[in-house]
């Protein structure tokens, strides 16, 4: 028999939304299991803070403390592999298989960075902005290196600031949103969300002296066996800036694979939920970036609502709705401010690689009618990353959506699939 | 895709643009016939996309041996016609003998193959270990069939269909639902005058010709992440066709294929009569255990994707190729089980010979649908 764990409420993902959901469900009297593929809670945003490897930013300490005190069972290093049947998931921990049974399920699977292809983006030295931040946290020496930070969204100055704090010099920060959109957004923050405005000011101070180019976007990363410089444009002029690294990020895309596998409705790239965060599948709730990228505060509010509502405690759930609405308005502003310009869809040359795993160039995808058509003709999205990188890119470039996700949700060791071994 | 012209007639309508349908379309178009291909989905998107793409000579029966041997020879003759994306690789097959009994059977297989001009070489245990260093120790040896190969089947089907189109074949997105008075009936309501209709889709056959002795065998496949692990040939346990482990209804057998990308494709499972497409975790577990038993190094590498496919099968495991005795003009080309990709080119040659009344390139009798008798 496969190992079995059961709980009334199972929460998948232990970022801010998952932690809030687990605590809220426990507060409302549910037996809760919190599951995460990492070895500690926090999600991508608070990674390393639980064990103190990285200083914990507010409000992480408060939530970690709540989680420690709440009667919540946890299963870390445990990745969801797929669906076994109604109310049953298969998970893996190292070389073991585990079946997870639930009455209510809360998905808090977060989001990942959107990478868009442009000429030269596959050169060594061109990496995801969040990925570079993580590499540096894990010991990659960056002191003295020149980094170009490229893309869009509030993550970019945060990455630039943290790299700078480790001794990197930021060659240039290229933000595709226009100055006008950024100024409007700053005005909105100052009026309605003053603490956020202060955070933004602090970030601005932290990257003082950096060339910040708004209304610009990359045209090519240049180099032979490694990136040497970044070429960018404002639509009129081309400029070139030498650099040792290019850190890219064009915003975040929700991790919808598990939701899709469970048959939950998905619209406009986010999980469809009702006012109490329940998806179109009865008993399956969603919280956090999955329901639309909106940042930590919104994720916490959504987590609380989902947690309470999952065990039928609508009274407590509804207390958080006005806060949710406030943060959602900000999220909508954010989305509007950093909406990707259409020029970014026209950066590829015919030979620019779109699917890195299978070396599929842009030119060979143009004739395809759908993601599946492209897969069959070119293997696009069929490599080791299973379309996690090129899928969101082709969605933007060609309008394809592919929710046909096949298990395992993340790569899993064969001995875990074989567990328990032959007797 | 284009609409078939109103009032236009065809020499042959082909139902299904999988590997077999695409090969039939290309062969018919090459003969100058007017061809219409009817496919409700994407070319090569069904069982064609789900399989391993192993081009393999099999000898479970003399007829199977003749068809697979002829077809593999055709693949080799024609390999230069296919674009690079078809990924034709001469991986060869090693049939692995678990014990002395299997070693005897493998040597016999080798004798048969060589007698018919198929290169086959017995590998004793040290030679086997040299050829496949990561294989578990303790096997009785292996039979290397160096001419076997592997391809990426959906692209091969598309390539054949494109070539058929270059020769004037038309393709329409619809489904064939019947044939009456030399008119092929389409699901969307169209009626296409045609001399013949080739049924190259198990799915179409199941709905339109429910009396055919077609069953389904579900299979699972898995692909690993890139690995430093070495698999040099397609490795298959000798008991594969007998379904080494399990019973008549459900079994697994070891089958591994190296991909050019240093990934490994791992099979296989067989579940009779199961038509759901979900992954069946218990049988997958058995399949993976079997894989690890043959290649212990697989244990610690990552699986990136698991999927299933439905193979159309017949009671004697030979395809139905030939005229449907009860329906004038209907020619069947379905029920290939796991060998549709391998035998597509041979099947297409047989179908064309039937349509044109020519002598078939190999004996056609064993594949005639009438071999099962007429239903009452």
């Amino acid at each position: 028999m496969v190992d079995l764990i059961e709980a009334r409420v199972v929460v998948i993902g232990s970022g801010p939304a998952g932690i809030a959901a687990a605590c809220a469900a426990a507060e409302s009297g549910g037996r809760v299991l919190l599951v995460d593929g990492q070895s500690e809670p926090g999600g991508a945003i608070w990674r390393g803070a639980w064990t103190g490897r990285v200083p914990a930013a507010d409000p992480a300490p408060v939530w970690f403390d709540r989680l420690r005190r709440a009667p919540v069972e946890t299963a870390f290093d445990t990745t969801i592999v797929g669906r076994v049947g109604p109310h049953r998931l298969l998970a893996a921990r190292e070389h073991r298989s585990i079946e997870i049974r639930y009455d209510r399920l809360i998905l808090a699977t977060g989001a990942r960075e959107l990478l868009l292809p442009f000429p030269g983006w596959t050169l060594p030295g061109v990496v995801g902005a969040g990925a570079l931040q993580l590499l540096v946290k894990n010991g990659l020496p960056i002191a003295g290196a020149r980094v170009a930070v490229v893309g869009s969204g509030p993550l970019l100055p945060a990455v630039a600031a943290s790299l700078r704090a480790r001794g990197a010099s930021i060659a240039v920060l290229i933000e595709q949103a226009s100055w006008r959109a950024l100024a409007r957004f700053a005005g909105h923050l100052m009026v309605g969300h003053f603490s956020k405005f202060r955070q933004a000011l602090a970030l601005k101070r932290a990257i003082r002296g950096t060339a910040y180019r708004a209304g610009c976007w990359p045209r090519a990363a240049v180099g032979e066996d490694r990136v040497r410089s970044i070429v960018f444009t404002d639509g009129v002029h081309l400029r070139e800036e030498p650099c040792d690294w290019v850190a890219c990020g064009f915003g975040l895309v929700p991790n919808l694979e598990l939701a899709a596998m469970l048959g939950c409705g998905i619209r406009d790239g986010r999980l469809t939920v009702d006012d109490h965060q329940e998806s179109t599948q009865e008993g399956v709730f969603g919280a956090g970036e999955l329901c639309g990228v909106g940042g930590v505060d919104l994720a916490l509010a959504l987590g609380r609502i989902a947690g309470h509502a999952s065990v039928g405690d609508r009274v407590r759930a509804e207390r958080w709705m006005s806060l949710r609405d406030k943060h959602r308005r900000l999220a909508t502003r954010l989305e509007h401010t950093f909406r990707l310009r259409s020029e970014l869809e026209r950066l590829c040359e015919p030979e620019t690689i779109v699917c890195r795993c299978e070396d599929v160039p842009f030119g060979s995808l143009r004739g395809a009618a759908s993601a599946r058509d492209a897969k069959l003709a070119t293997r696009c999205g069929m490599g080791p990353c299973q379309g996690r990188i090129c899928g969101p890119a082709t969605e933007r470039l060609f309008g394809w959506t592919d929710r046909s996700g096949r298990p395992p949700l993340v790569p899993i060791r064969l001995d875990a699939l074989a567990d328990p071994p032959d007797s | 895709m284009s609409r078939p012209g109103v009032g236009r007639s065809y020499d042959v309508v082909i139902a299904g643009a999988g590997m077999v349908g695409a090969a039939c379309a290309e062969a018919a178009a090459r003969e100058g016939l007017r061809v219409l291909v009817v496919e409700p989905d994407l070319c090569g998107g069904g069982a064609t996309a789900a399989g391993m793409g192993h081009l393999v000579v099999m000898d479970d029966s003399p007829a199977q041996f003749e068809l697979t041997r002829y077809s593999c020879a055709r693949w080799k003759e024609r390999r230069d016609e296919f674009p690079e994306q078809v990924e034709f690789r001469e991986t060869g097959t090693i049939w692995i003998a678990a014990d002395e009994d299997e070693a005897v059977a493998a040597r016999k297989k080798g004798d048969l193959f060589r007698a018919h001009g198929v290169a086959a070489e017995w590998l004793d245990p040290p030679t086997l270990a040299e050829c496949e260093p990561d294989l578990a120790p303790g096997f009785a040896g292996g039979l290397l069939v160096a001419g076997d190969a592997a391809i990426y089947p959906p692209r091969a089907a598309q390539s054949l269909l494109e070539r058929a189109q270059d020769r004037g074949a038309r393709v329409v997105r619809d489904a064939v639902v019947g044939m009456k008075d030399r008119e092929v009936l389409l699901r969307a309501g169209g009626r296409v005058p045609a001399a013949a209709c080739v049924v190259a889709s198990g799915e179409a056959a199941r709905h339109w010709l429910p009396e055919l002795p077609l069953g389904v065998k579900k299979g699972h496949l898995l692909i690993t992440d890139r690995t430093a692990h070495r698999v040099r040939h397609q490795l298959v346990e000798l008991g594969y066709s007998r379904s080494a482990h399990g019973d008549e209804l459900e079994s697994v057998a070891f089958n591994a294929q190296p991909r050019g990308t240093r990934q490994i494709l791992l099979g296989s499972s067989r579940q009779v009569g199961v038509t759901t497409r979900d992954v069946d975790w218990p049988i997958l577990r058995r399949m993976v255990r079997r894989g690890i038993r043959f290649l212990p190094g697989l244990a610690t590498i990552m699986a990136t994707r698991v999927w299933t496919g439905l193979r159309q099968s017949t009671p004697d495991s030979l395809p139905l190729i030939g005229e449907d005795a009860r329906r004038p003009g209907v020619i069947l080309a379905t029920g290939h089980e796991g060998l549709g990709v391998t035998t597509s080119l041979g099947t297409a040659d047989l179908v064309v010979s039937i349509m044109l009344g020519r002598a078939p390139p190999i004996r056609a009798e064993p594949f005639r649908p009438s071999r099962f008798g007429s239903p009452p």
Side-chain angles (χ1 to χ4, degrees):
Chain A
M1 271 295 289
V2 175
D3 287 351
L4 180 73
I5 44 180
E6 268 179 291
R8 181 164 174 215
V9 181
V10 171
V11 182
I12 309 295
S14 70
I19 293 174
C23 292
E27 193 189 324
S28 290
R31 235 199 90 219
V32 184
L33 172 71
L34 178 61
V35 181
D36 200 298
Q38 297 292 324
S39 56
E40 58 185 58
I45 186 151
W46 292 338
R47 184 152 303 156
W50 177 262
T51 45
R53 278 187 294 130
V54 177
D58 275 340
V62 178
W63 282 98
F64 285 162
D65 200 43
R66 276 192 194 140
L67 180 61
R68 280 194 190 93
R69 283 186 284 114
V72 169
E73 273 183 74
T74 53
F76 293 108
D77 294 311
T78 304
T79 50
I80 303 298
V81 176
R83 180 181 180 272
V84 182
H87 299 272
R88 295 162 71 199
L89 296 174
L90 184 70
R93 184 188 293 154
E94 288 180 23
H95 63 284
R96 302 299 304 269
S97 268
I98 302 166
E99 187 176 315
I100 296 176
R101 294 196 185 170
Y102 59 87
D103 183 35
R104 303 281 143 149
L105 187 68
I106 302 176
L107 304 176
T109 46
R112 59 178 178 270
E113 232 165 6
L114 172 64
L115 298 178
L116 291 178
F118 56 87
W121 78 294
T122 53
L123 277 174
V126 184
V127 291
L132 183 61
Q133 196 176 20
L134 203 62
L135 284 172
V136 170
K137 271 185 192 175
N138 290 334
L140 176 85
I142 198 79
R146 296 162 303 172
V147 184
V149 181
V150 174
S152 193
L155 184 72
L156 297 187
V159 167
S162 88
L163 294 176
R164 203 176 191 199
R166 305 249 177 176
S169 87
I170 305 301
V172 61
L173 196 159
I174 300 165
E175 164 61 61
Q176 60 91 41
S178 66
W179 277 119
R180 181 191 292 236
L182 293 173
R184 254 202 312 264
F185 184 64
H188 176 78
L189 280 187
M190 197 159 60
V191 177
H193 303 266
F194 196 70
S195 66
K196 295 274 171 209
F197 183 68
R198 278 208 318 256
Q199 279 177 27
L201 279 183
L203 261 182
K204 192 161 175 287
R205 267 197 304 279
I207 57 169
R208 196 167 31 198
T210 294
Y212 188 99
R213 307 277 183 207
C216 291
W217 58 93
R219 285 290 299 275
V222 182
E224 281 76 50
D225 38 10
R226 192 182 163 85
V227 66
R228 265 193 300 107
S229 67
I230 181 84
V231 176
F232 62 100
T233 183
D234 56 5
V236 181
H237 306 286
L238 282 179
R239 291 162 202 262
E240 186 165 2
E241 192 66 44
C243 59
D244 307 305
W245 292 91
V246 175
C248 305
F250 292 87
L252 299 173
V253 283
N255 294 320
L256 288 160
E257 289 76 8
L258 177 55
M261 198 173 273
L262 294 170
C264 299
I266 291 164
R267 250 187 96 179
D268 298 333
R270 58 188 72 181
L271 184 72
T272 305
V273 288
D274 65 14
D275 215 30
H276 293 84
Q277 299 302 121
E278 189 164 9
S279 75
T280 58
Q281 290 284 329
E282 201 190 332
V284 179
F285 294 73
E289 311 287 45
L290 196 62
C291 309
V293 171
V296 174
D297 296 322
L298 179 60
L300 289 167
L302 296 182
R304 286 170 133 149
I305 295 169
H308 292 306
S310 69
V311 287
D313 186 353
R314 297 198 153 215
V315 177
R316 277 205 184 84
E318 280 158 19
R319 282 186 201 150
W320 298 102
M321 288 185 180
S322 65
L323 187 65
R324 171 197 66 189
D325 294 342
K326 179 185 164 196
H327 292 307
R328 188 171 279 160
R329 281 193 295 275
L330 178 65
T332 308
R333 285 267 175 179
L334 210 62
E335 197 186 323
H336 192 77
T337 305
F338 294 103
R339 176 161 298 154
L340 297 181
R341 57 177 68 232
S342 61
E343 285 92 336
L344 296 172
E345 291 154 27
R346 299 191 288 271
L347 299 179
C348 288
E349 306 283 350
E351 63 278 7
T352 305
I353 297 294
V354 173
C355 168
R356 303 178 71 151
C357 299
E358 296 284 349
D359 282 342
V360 183
F362 179 75
S364 72
L365 292 172
R366 268 183 305 198
S370 65
R372 206 168 134 250
D373 191 8
K375 258 187 198 180
L376 292 173
T378 66
R379 291 188 187 263
C380 180
M382 285 171 69
C385 98
Q386 286 294 293
R388 273 178 277 272
I389 294 169
C390 67
T394 57
E395 187 165 346
R396 187 151 284 282
L397 296 181
F398 303 107
W400 302 338
T401 47
D402 183 13
R403 308 261 178 244
S404 66
R406 284 167 160 160
L409 283 162
V410 291
I412 172 185
R413 277 167 58 143
L414 265 76
D415 53 4
L417 280 179
D419 179 63
D422 264 319
S423 50
Chain B
M1 298 210 181
S2 58
R3 307 292 310 166
V6 177
R8 198 184 159 115
S9 73
Y10 292 88
D11 294 315
V12 59
V13 172
I14 294 171
M19 192 68 231
V20 172
C24 289
E26 192 265 349
R30 196 152 29 95
E31 295 291 345
L33 300 179
R34 287 165 303 164
V35 178
L36 175 69
V37 179
V38 181
E39 166 60 55
D41 193 26
L42 296 168
C43 172
T48 300
M52 271 184 153
H54 185 199
L55 304 179
V56 56
V57 180
M58 298 270 288
D59 65 334
D60 294 339
S61 64
Q64 186 191 58
F65 182 52
E66 222 180 330
L67 181 59
T68 54
R69 181 171 58 97
Y70 173 77
S71 297
C72 284
R74 293 288 283 146
W75 275 109
K76 210 170 296 176
E77 281 165 28
R78 301 186 59 185
R79 63 176 290 180
D80 293 338
E81 297 173 24
F82 290 93
E84 185 196 345
Q85 293 89 336
V86 172
E87 301 174 24
F88 190 102
R89 285 160 296 138
E90 238 168 59
T91 52
T93 303
I94 298 179
W95 294 91
I96 297 164
D99 52 30
E100 282 314 313
D101 285 352
E102 287 198 355
V104 172
R107 284 167 188 271
K108 250 194 213 157
K109 191 192 204 43
D111 293 341
L112 173 75
F113 278 30
R114 282 189 298 274
H116 289 86
V118 179
E121 181 192 347
W122 172 251
L123 310 175
D124 58 17
T127 318
L128 177 63
E130 214 170 283
C131 284
E132 292 291 342
D134 288 346
L135 201 61
F139 291 109
L143 182 73
L144 169 64
V145 183
D148 285 355
I151 58 166
Y152 178 53
R155 194 66 190 87
Q158 286 160 12
S159 168
L160 286 167
L161 192 64
E162 283 158 16
R163 244 155 330 129
Q165 286 173 287
D166 288 345
R167 292 177 181 271
R170 289 179 161 221
V171 182
V172 61
R173 190 167 252 193
D174 205 330
V176 171
V177 292
M179 184 174 191
K180 211 174 175 184
D181 304 330
R182 300 283 162 175
E183 276 191 331
V184 175
L185 313 179
L186 304 184
R187 187 163 62 195
R191 303 168 81 89
V192 182
C197 178
V198 174
V199 180
S201 149
E203 204 65 20
R206 194 174 303 286
H207 289 109
W208 167 27
L209 310 165
E211 74 280 4
L212 291 180
L214 282 174
V216 165
K217 291 182 185 172
K218 175 175 172 175
H220 287 74
L221 281 179
L222 174 156
I223 190 157
T224 69
D225 200 352
R226 288 182 183 151
T227 163
H229 212 69
R230 291 158 298 175
V231 175
R232 293 166 180 174
H233 305 83
Q234 177 119 13
L235 303 178
V236 190
E237 67 175 297
L238 193 71
Y240 171 73
S241 50
R242 297 197 317 272
S243 298
H245 278 248
D247 52 37
E248 293 218 331
L249 290 179
E250 196 173 271
S251 61
V252 297
F254 169 69
N255 190 341
Q257 180 186 97
R259 261 204 70 198
T261 50
R262 293 185 287 117
Q263 292 170 284
I264 297 170
L265 257 174
L266 182 69
S268 61
S269 73
R270 198 176 305 177
Q271 290 167 287
V272 177
V274 179
T275 55
T276 56
R277 289 174 185 274
D278 310 350
V279 170
D280 180 325
W281 298 99
I283 197 155
L284 180 74
R285 192 167 291 138
R286 285 169 54 197
M287 183 183 106
V288 174
R289 281 181 197 152
R290 194 110 194 112
I292 292 173
R293 200 170 136 191
F294 279 76
L295 290 169
L298 285 179
T300 54
I301 67 178
M302 302 295 232
T304 56
R305 182 163 36 109
V306 176
W307 68 98
T308 64
L310 302 179
R311 318 169 175 108
Q312 307 291 331
S313 66
T314 66
D316 62 1
S317 295
L318 291 175
L320 303 174
I321 306 171
E323 285 160 296
D324 183 324
R326 308 200 319 162
R327 291 184 172 80
V330 173
I331 299 170
L332 302 173
T334 185
H336 292 75
E337 206 173 322
L339 289 171
V341 173
T342 294
T343 62
S344 55
L345 297 184
T347 300
D349 289 353
L350 271 176
V351 164
V352 165
S353 73
I354 292 164
M355 283 194 295
L356 299 179
R358 286 189 193 150
I362 58 170
R363 284 185 314 130
E365 292 77 21
F367 310 107
R368 282 203 179 128
S370 59
R371 69 186 183 275
F372 295 109
S374 285

